[in-house]
Each structure stands twice: as structure tokens, then as C-alpha cells.
Amino acid sequence: MLKIVNVKRVGSDAEEVLFVDGDKILGWNLAVDADVTLDGGGGTIVPALIELHAHLREPGQEEKEDLASGLAAAAAGGYGTVVSMPNTSPVVDDPAIVRQLAEKAARLGFARLRPAAALTKGQQGKELAELALLKDAGAAMFTDDGRTNEDARVLRLGLEYASSLDMVVSVHAEDATLRADGVMHEGEVSEALGLPGNPAEAESARVARDIEIARLTKARLHVQHLSTARALDLVRRAKADGVPITCEVCPHHLTLTHEHLRGFDAQYKVAPPLRTSEDAAALLRGLSDGTVDAVGTDHAPHTSSEKERDLLTAPFGIPSIEVAFPLMYTRFADTLGLQKLVDLFTSGAARVMGWDAPTLEPGAPADLTILDLDTERAVEPSTFRSKAKFSPWAGEVLRGWPTLTLVAGRVAFQRGA
Amino acid sequence: MTRSLLDFADWTAEQVQAIFDTADVMHEVLARPVKKVPALQGMTICTAFFENSTRTRLSFELAARRMSADVVTFAAGASSLSKGESLRDTIETLNALGVDAFIVRHEASGAAHLVNKYSAKPTINAGDGRRAHPTQALLDAYTLREKFGSLEGKKITIVGDVRHSRVARSNAELLPMLGASVTLCGPATLLPKELARRGVTLTTDVNEAVKGADAVMALRLQRERMNAGYLGSLEEYAATYQVNEALMERARDGAFVLHPGPMNRDVEISGSLADSPRALIVRQVENGLAVRMSVLYHLLVGRGA
């Protein structure tokens, strides 16, 4: 039995006590004895955050990240559950790999791991992977993320097959031919810098196609990391039409723009690229009006030396799993409110995955996070649990840092510990 | 004076004028029997060429040697990065060897900025991706100034593959600063509309572009552009956009012709026009040496020019 004293619930100033029995929540403010007491420090307690889009790089690219560093980083970011992307080496398209990942993660005891599996063999976009066996092995969703699904018929078949398994398919929605060799948003800045551009329409054209395929198949389609106002508007209209579609946005697309690339710093190189301030504002409106279902980080760790290359050869990706919530809270709590923000990181992500919404009610899994909404602290990449010790927000002073993350009743992260 | 020459973003017309004035002096040096001055004696200049370019490298190396600098050359194909060594590691290694200044050519836009960031030494951009080739623009402007006296009010037209041209981008930065107007012209696929700004107009109509021009610069057209789908054929390009005698009829009487080289004769420029007295192509190369000597002098020796 564990009790957490001196915590508040969202929207309340009352100090309360939460009791945890084993891996379940027992209840609030009970008159029972606990073996262990944790002091919440007056923080706000919420269900542990759910990350539906992280690159943990294992197997095959452990120099960038591995399960231990990635899941520890996730717990430090307040996450209790992480959906990992399958674009590893080898690709997660084999039920044995899904099992290995899940078993290793369970031994580590940081955040829970729910591996996503590839939709197609080798993520080649040609033949469907063994979707039924992958689901049996524990795959949480199917995606060829990191690749774009160029063959519309294969995506159709994948959606139909996944739908029969009651599984969601998520897509990196970019027309690869229109994107071409673009390394940043195509526009005034890319031309001024002399860098090949990736037009906003590469995303909206592909989202338009995928909406039609979802309409055709009536299968659940999730669009990852939307970056443009146009594509978001297409999703908004598709939802109004009743198309079973969900979407996520990433903290970097909300807080950074293509203007940040003017210093030629490859830390800002990401796919889809940082767009205009108008796009970022439209994405924020999408969060407010419910068009956007969840915030996913697209945490994409790389080695520092890779990111010190020039913008043509540096890899795409921004690591953010440890700063996502405080960043979003500091920038947007006034606009969105705390409850909405927490929902985007918890119940919204669960809805995308087809999971029950997490709660702090008796009987629910003891996955919870305490947030310190008051103390200001600068982003210090050298302290990251992630192997990626760099951040475009380095030095930025944020509030809303997680101080404790409990997963299945175990302490997965405690600040200062 | 700016400590590095990466592009013209933080340069003024007065600073450019100072470069030109010193280039006049360097011309005198180059006319002497002993074409050498001790200005950079004891300094080591590294030409870091991550992308091949014999002509530009020779021009810079000769410029440095004429001023008594030691020159070390780092020549690497694009493969050095794929071997795993980052640009930062490469530059920090060279820096540790005691290099005083870097002259950088790289296929990636912005690479010269990174070299400058990692070395904190004076850096000259000798061409980075599509981004900038400032000494080429300086020698172009210097060559035109030599003919016109001043660039104020002159119309300079640049025809060709503007999209992939660092020469066009640098000229579109520099020439308006010196009072000229620039017209960029090429097929729509090779003419990014975002380049239009004050002093720079875009058109796909080459006849309109050259009309009344005081000078016309042809840009090199690469065969790869056809394979990449930008063009139907080189023949079609030549028939439509070639800078030749007939096209020059529309320009001002006696208008000059430039080309940054190397030329594809009878593709972007007719061979006969390139050999004509109005072509300044050889003079551009000669002036390049004096201009680069001047740039080195100002960055490494000059104070508040």
C-alpha cells in the first residue's frame, strides 16, 4: 500500500491524498494505513501521459537511443506509456521482435512500452506484414512511419485488414514525389537559404488522398504529425463528414517555424518540416476546437555529431519526450487550459489508440504523474535521460515539469532521485 | 569590417566599395614583374573544398600566395561525411593545426556558416550549395564597375538555371546594394518566385528580360536538369533561352555579356558571342584574382575599411 500526500487534482486547490494498492488505484482520502508515503509537494496529479509517437531506435540504432534510455526519458517527461515506431533496423515487422521489445521493456520498469508494428513488410509499402500475428504478439498499432505509403491500394488493403482486427493504422502523410529532396519548408526562407524545399501541399495532397481511402474503407486512420493549416482543415472537414479519422500534432510544429533554420542549425531539421507561423497558429486552433485529437512528440533522437552536419546530410528529427509537457504548458496553458492540455496528452492519445481513457478513479491502473506547475526551470539537455543531449529549446525556462511518474504502482521517475 | 564573407547579409555598399578600391591596388601588384606582396606573410589559409572546383580553388590559392600566405588544401569528396566524420570534426581538426582563415566550398547551403561557427576564424564562402558565392558576385560587380564607372541605375539581367545558382543569388543580393536592378530570367521550373524582392524582378520571358539591359549574364545549364524533369531538352532550352547575338539586339547598344564559367558553348550562350569583344568572361577571371586578394586582405589585415 502506498499513499501520495499533498497533491491536487486539476481544477482544485484542495490538498488530497491518493491511495495505491499494488498496481491499482485504491481511492482518495481514505482512512487506511499505508506502508510507504510519498510527498507530492503540492503538485497537480494527472493520469500518466501517453506518448503515441516515439522513436526509441532499438533494435539496431542503439547509439541514438535504446529502450532503457528512451523509456527512462519518457518517464522523466511524465509518460507512463509509449508507443514506439517500427522504423528500426531490422524493421519491427516480425512478431518475434514485438515480443522481445515488450519483454525487455517490462524488465526495465520505466514507462510501459506498446510497440507499433510495420503495416508492410520491411516498411516497403508493397506487401502487408503479418498483421494478425503482430497483433497477437502485442503490437499496438500499424504504421510505416518514417516511410510514406505511396501505393494507395496497399494502404487500402492495410486499412481493411487492420480494421478487421480492430486496430488503427497511422500514416506519415507526405507525398514523397512532391516532397522530393526537400529538407525544409518550401517558401521564402528556403529560397533565401538556397535549400531544397518541401511544399506544404506535399502534406495536404497526401492527407486528401488518405481521407478518401478512409472514407472508402470506413477503417480507423490516424494522421501523424500534421504540420500545415491546409491539411488540418481537410481533416476538420473529413471529421464533419463522419470519416473515422484522427490526427496528432507535435510540440515542435506548434512552437518553432521555418524561420528558425536561418542559422543553418540542423537541430531544426525535421520531417515534416517546421512550417510558417500561420501554420503553427492554425495547429493551435486545431487543438482548441477538437480537430486535433492528441499531442504526440515524434521524439526522434540522433547523435550530436549527426546533427552537427550540414542541412543536406544531417538526419531529420527533434527529440522532445522530456520537455513536451512543460513546453506545451508554458506556451499554451493560457490558451488551452490545463484540463484540455492534459486530455491531449492522455485521453486524446488513448482515443486514437482505441484504449480506455485513463482515470484516477478507484480500480484504475496506478499510472500517474505529478506536475509542478509553479517552479520554473530551464531546459538543460545535458541532464536528459535520452541519449540525445541536445534540444532546440535548450535554455528556455519552462513550468509544468513532472516531478513523479508512477507506472503500475512503481516509481518510474522521481525528480531529484 | 565584417570578419567573414559568408554572404552579403551584414555587408554595406561602403564595405564593398573598400574591397573594390583595394582590388584596384592588387591589379597594380599583379602587373609588376614580381607579383607578390608580404601582406599575409606567416599566415596559413586553408582551402577546404568539400566539393570539387578546380578553377575557384586555383584562383583563391593564387590570391593567397600572391600575398605570401601559406596555403593548405583540404580536398574531400562528399564521401568524407559518409565516413562518419562530421563537418565540425573536420574543421576543428584543421583549426587545431593552426589555420588562420578558411575558404570553404561545399555542396550544402549553409556549410560555410557552420565552418565559421566551429572555427571562429575568418571564413570566406567559396560557394555553398545553391546559397551564395559572394566572391563571384564581387568579381562580377567589380568587372561591371570597371566598364560603367558606377552600377547606379544599371539593369543587369541574369538568364538560366536561377533555382540552383548560388551565383544568381549572390548577385541578386549584391547588385541592388550597389544601385543596379536585377532581372532574373529562366524557365518557370528553374525560377523560384520567392526570389523576387526590392531591386530584383523575375520573368520567364527572355526577350522582356533582356530589353534595355546594360549587361546580360548567362548561367551554366546542367544536363542533369533534364533528367530531373526541369526541362524538356537542352535543345529546347537553347532555342528559347540562349544568350546570343539575336537576343542581345534587345539590350542596350554595346551591352556586355558575362558568364561565371565553366561555359556550355552553344547551350546557354552562343560560342560566337562568348568570343566577341562585348564578352567580359576572361576579364571576370582576371578580376577574380585581384578581388580575392582584396577580400583576403580586408578580412585578415584590414581594420575598419
Side-chain angles (χ1 to χ4, degrees):
Chain A
M1 184 88 71
L2 161 72
K3 71 173 177 181
I4 306 174
V5 302
N6 195 16
V7 289
K8 299 168 191 166
R9 285 191 253 197
V10 175
S12 164
D13 278 335
E15 282 182 11
E16 301 190 67
V17 183
L18 179 66
F19 288 81
V20 169
D21 188 12
D23 61 356
K24 294 276 196 302
I25 289 174
L26 187 65
W28 292 84
N29 308 319
L30 306 174
V32 294
D33 290 331
D35 310 312
V36 181
T37 301
L38 291 172
D39 188 342
T44 299
I45 192 162
V46 299
L49 311 183
I50 298 171
E51 161 65 304
L52 44 65
H53 190 168
H55 296 271
L56 300 185
R57 306 300 189 201
E58 185 173 338
Q61 294 178 305
E62 287 83 354
E63 74 280 10
K64 296 173 190 269
E65 194 81 288
D66 58 25
L67 290 188
S69 64
L71 293 171
Y79 291 92
T81 302
V82 174
V83 177
S84 59
M85 293 296 108
N87 62 332
T88 48
S89 179
V91 165
V92 183
D93 62 356
D94 180 335
I97 304 176
V98 175
R99 283 196 191 88
Q100 282 167 14
L101 290 173
E103 285 166 11
K104 181 169 178 185
R107 284 198 302 276
L108 289 168
F110 298 114
R112 296 174 192 267
L113 178 70
R114 299 294 310 273
L119 181 68
T120 64
K121 287 179 184 144
Q123 295 192 306
Q124 295 296 305
K126 296 192 170 69
E127 298 171 71
L128 292 186
E130 297 171 311
L131 303 186
L133 296 180
L134 287 163
K135 182 191 177 184
D136 288 347
M141 62 148 69
F142 302 120
T143 181
D144 283 345
D145 180 44
R147 301 287 191 100
T148 55
N149 297 97
E150 294 307 301
D151 189 320
R153 180 173 169 275
V154 170
L155 181 63
R156 174 197 177 158
L157 298 177
L159 277 165
E160 286 173 342
Y161 205 110
S163 180
S164 74
L165 301 170
D166 196 25
M167 293 278 276
V168 68
V169 171
S170 74
V171 288
H172 180 133
E174 258 187 331
D175 185 307
T177 60
L178 201 50
R179 178 186 66 189
D181 58 354
V183 298
M184 65 175 292
H185 175 64
E186 178 175 316
E188 193 188 334
V189 180
S190 69
E191 285 310 329
L193 300 185
L195 287 162
N198 169 346
E201 288 75 8
E203 178 174 278
S204 51
R206 176 51 54 86
V207 167
R209 186 202 78 169
D210 290 353
I211 284 169
E212 293 307 294
I213 299 173
R215 198 190 302 274
L216 170 70
T217 58
K218 299 183 176 58
R220 276 162 50 217
L221 176 74
H222 176 65
V223 186
Q224 302 173 321
H225 47 46
L226 276 180
S227 69
T228 65
R230 287 274 305 138
L232 183 77
D233 198 45
L234 290 169
V235 170
R236 183 179 284 122
R237 283 190 269 164
K239 284 187 163 189
D241 285 356
V243 177
I245 191 168
T246 54
C247 69
E248 85 202 15
V249 297
C250 304
H252 49 263
H253 289 127
L254 290 155
T255 59
L256 306 169
T257 73
H258 63 154
E259 295 286 346
H260 285 92
L261 285 136
R262 285 197 185 272
F264 296 101
D265 187 340
Q267 277 195 68
Y268 298 97
K269 181 179 176 182
V270 65
L274 303 176
R275 304 283 184 183
T276 66
S277 54
E278 290 78 16
D279 287 307
L283 296 179
L284 184 59
R285 282 196 298 279
L287 293 182
S288 297
D289 70 15
T291 305
V292 176
D293 295 273
V295 171
T297 68
D298 193 8
H299 174 72
H302 294 289
T303 64
S304 294
S305 66
E306 288 173 304
K307 281 300 210 179
E308 283 163 0
R309 293 183 191 165
D310 63 82
L311 276 165
L312 292 187
T313 56
F316 292 95
I318 293 175
S320 59
I321 205 162
E322 286 172 76
V323 299
F325 189 85
L327 180 67
M328 292 290 293
Y329 179 76
T330 306
R331 296 282 192 98
F332 305 123
D334 290 346
T335 314
L336 298 171
L338 177 61
Q339 182 66 59
K340 174 77 179 171
L341 206 47
V342 170
D343 287 349
L344 285 162
F345 279 86
T346 56
S347 54
R351 186 170 62 247
V352 167
M353 297 300 297
W355 300 338
D356 292 337
T359 75
L360 296 175
E361 297 308 310
D367 288 15
L368 54 88
T369 295
I370 297 175
L371 303 168
D372 176 354
L373 302 181
D374 301 316
T375 306
E376 294 190 328
R377 201 162 64 79
V379 175
E380 177 43 74
S382 68
T383 67
F384 285 170
R385 273 75 174 169
S386 170
K387 290 187 181 182
K389 310 278 188 206
F390 59 90
S391 170
W393 302 282
E396 188 164 332
V397 174
L398 304 178
R399 290 176 297 129
W401 294 95
T403 57
L404 178 80
T405 305
L406 215 63
V407 176
R410 289 173 290 102
V411 175
F413 166 76
Q414 192 166 15
R415 186 159 303 286
Chain B
M1 173 57 76
T2 319
R3 267 171 56 83
S4 287
L5 178 59
L6 306 175
D7 52 46
F8 295 110
D10 52 1
W11 282 64
T12 64
E14 291 68 33
Q15 290 169 323
V16 170
Q17 191 58 48
I19 297 280
F20 289 168
D21 292 345
T22 306
D24 290 342
V25 177
M26 296 305 173
H27 263 306
E28 292 167 20
V29 170
L30 293 170
R32 293 177 195 164
V34 178
K35 302 175 180 60
K36 201 156 182 166
V37 289
L40 302 185
Q41 199 158 34
M43 292 191 182
T44 304
I45 290 168
C46 177
T47 51
F49 274 53
F50 296 87
E51 180 187 79
N52 290 330
S53 165
T54 309
R55 298 154 50 108
T56 303
R57 185 168 58 78
L58 287 178
S59 179
F60 270 112
E61 290 184 0
L62 205 52
R65 292 203 167 100
R66 291 274 186 258
M67 300 173 75
S68 305
D70 293 322
V71 177
V72 292
T73 299
F74 176 83
S79 64
S80 70
L81 291 183
S82 58
K83 280 182 200 160
E85 185 173 63
S86 70
L87 182 63
R88 177 180 180 164
D89 293 335
T90 305
I91 293 306
E92 286 180 348
T93 300
L94 292 165
N95 211 14
L97 291 170
V99 166
D100 295 296
F102 287 92
I103 295 165
V104 185
R105 165 69 69 99
H106 201 289
E107 64 182 352
S109 302
H113 286 73
L114 294 182
V115 169
N116 195 39
K117 177 176 158 186
Y118 297 139
S119 75
K121 297 279 173 62
T123 303
I124 297 172
N125 185 357
D128 63 335
R130 312 173 179 181
R131 160 78 173 153
H133 194 351
T135 58
Q136 178 71 40
L138 283 172
L139 72 89
D140 292 338
Y142 180 81
T143 304
L144 290 168
R145 169 184 168 276
E146 198 172 49
K147 294 294 176 187
F148 296 135
S150 161
L151 285 169
E152 195 64 46
K154 299 297 180 191
K155 175 179 176 176
I156 316 298
T157 296
I158 301 175
V159 183
D161 181 0
V162 174
R163 176 180 292 280
H164 300 96
S165 175
R166 50 196 170 211
V167 176
R169 279 188 177 73
S170 279
N171 270 299
E173 274 189 297
L174 177 63
L175 294 172
M177 194 200 295
L178 302 176
S181 68
V182 173
T183 301
L184 301 174
C185 176
T189 49
L190 296 174
L191 192 69
K193 57 187 180 304
E194 291 82 1
L195 290 181
R197 62 174 173 274
R198 223 162 81 101
V200 181
T201 54
L202 306 185
T203 176
T204 57
D205 182 342
V206 74
N207 291 314
E208 186 61 32
V210 171
K211 197 166 151 192
D214 296 286
V216 177
M217 179 188 297
L219 298 174
R220 188 159 68 98
L221 197 80
Q222 292 176 288
R223 191 164 287 278
E224 301 91 272
R225 302 297 173 230
M226 280 161 52
N227 304 332
Y230 291 103
L231 292 173
S233 72
L234 287 189
E235 291 73 21
E236 181 201 62
Y237 178 84
T240 320
Y241 287 98
Q242 185 183 88
V243 177
N244 53 33
E245 283 89 345
L247 184 67
M248 290 302 291
E249 294 281 308
R250 299 181 164 271
R252 287 242 169 115
D253 279 352
F256 295 104
V257 174
L258 297 94
H259 193 297
M263 278 185 288
N264 297 300
R265 283 172 178 266
D266 298 318
V267 179
E268 71 267 5
I269 188 167
S270 70
S272 54
L273 183 65
D275 295 333
S276 72
R278 70 201 312 187
L280 304 178
I281 299 164
V282 175
R283 187 62 182 162
Q284 287 173 272
V285 177
E286 292 168 4
N287 285 340
L289 188 55
V291 165
R292 286 175 177 127
M293 288 169 73
S294 170
V295 168
L296 283 168
Y297 179 82
H298 278 275
L299 296 187
L300 290 165
V301 184
R303 292 279 183 275

